[in-house]
Amino acid sequence: MTTVGILGAGKVGTVLARLAVAAGYDVAVAGSGDPARIRLIVEVLAPGARAVDAREAARADLVVLALPLGRLPEVVGTVGEALTGRLVVDAMNYWWETDGERPDLADPAVATSALVAEALPGARVVKAFNHMGYHDLDEGPLPAGTPGRRAIAVAADDAAAAAEVAAFVDALGFDPVPAGSLADSVALQPHAEAFGANEDAGTLAAVLARFPATERGAVVAAARADAAVDAAG
């Protein structure tokens, strides 16, 4: 059985754990610190999943990062080496309310999943599950082929990793939609039209395709052009 490790026992983490258990995966969930602190939460919100420490969760076949983006350094320090070679799903977003004011993460030129990949060299990082609200994730799963089945965008630099995560998305009850590279995943972040999308595959693909023509797409393009000029000296 494929094992799924989820770092983060909050709303998104526990919903994904519940969906993964329902899909037949062996699921381990880790919070910060002693697993005893989240054992009751996991038992109630994701029955069938196990509360473990971060090191055990990081040994899973597929590891989901479902915690505040600002805690990435903690992930690197605790399980960074263990994630080398692992399939890592980045479901995180930058929220100033929880992460604090972080100009590096708020920069419109920055695809935060690219920062995750840089921080976890050797990990096979894929962006997915970040754009849909946890309520919609919880209520949205449907069998493949069901009309109106909701979709989850999948972005990665590694085509094989993207394919594996697409299969995981499908198993959890959603249609996977290719969303380009990690750099392209900026189209899934807060302020982009796709962020918050709870749509079928055709609609989500259309939203992603028109991103460059949107106001946010123009902001991102301008910021990246400025960054390129600065880099060129």
Side-chain angles (χ1 to χ4, degrees), residues 3-208:
T3 56
V4 174
I6 297 178
L7 299 179
K11 294 171 181 174
V12 173
T14 52
V15 167
L16 289 176
R18 186 160 59 249
L19 297 180
V21 169
Y25 292 97
D26 177 15
V27 181
V29 182
S32 57
D34 191 335
R37 296 173 57 187
I38 64 167
R39 186 159 292 127
L40 181 59
I41 294 173
V42 172
E43 288 177 356
V44 172
L45 298 181
R50 295 174 287 115
V52 301
D53 64 27
R55 291 176 179 80
E56 183 172 347
R59 289 195 291 267
D61 300 312
L62 183 153
V63 179
V64 180
L65 305 181
L67 64 169
L69 181 60
R71 289 178 56 193
L72 179 60
E74 177 186 330
V75 172
V76 173
T78 305
V79 298
E81 290 187 10
L83 293 176
T84 299
R86 300 286 179 189
L87 185 58
V88 175
V89 177
D90 172 23
M92 301 185 292
N93 293 297
Y94 167 58
W95 289 110
W96 68 267
E97 294 94 337
T98 53
D99 297 317
E101 296 288 353
R102 293 282 304 272
D104 56 327
L105 302 180
D107 184 345
V110 170
T112 54
S113 281
L115 298 181
V116 173
E118 290 175 8
L120 299 171
R124 304 166 64 214
V125 176
V126 178
K127 186 76 164 184
F129 295 110
N130 77 298
H131 66 80
M132 186 181 286
Y134 72 93
H135 281 302
D136 294 328
L137 277 172
D138 201 17
E139 298 170 359
L142 289 170
T146 302
R149 193 189 199 208
R150 299 312 190 196
I152 295 293
V154 177
D157 295 338
D158 179 330
E164 291 179 56
V165 172
F168 180 63
V169 167
D170 182 54
L172 264 56
F174 301 89
D175 285 335
V177 171
S181 67
L182 292 181
D184 294 331
S185 70
V186 71
L188 305 174
Q189 295 179 179
H191 307 297
E193 183 183 2
F195 187 75
N198 178 29
E199 305 289 352
D200 62 27
T203 303
L204 179 57
V207 168
L208 293 173

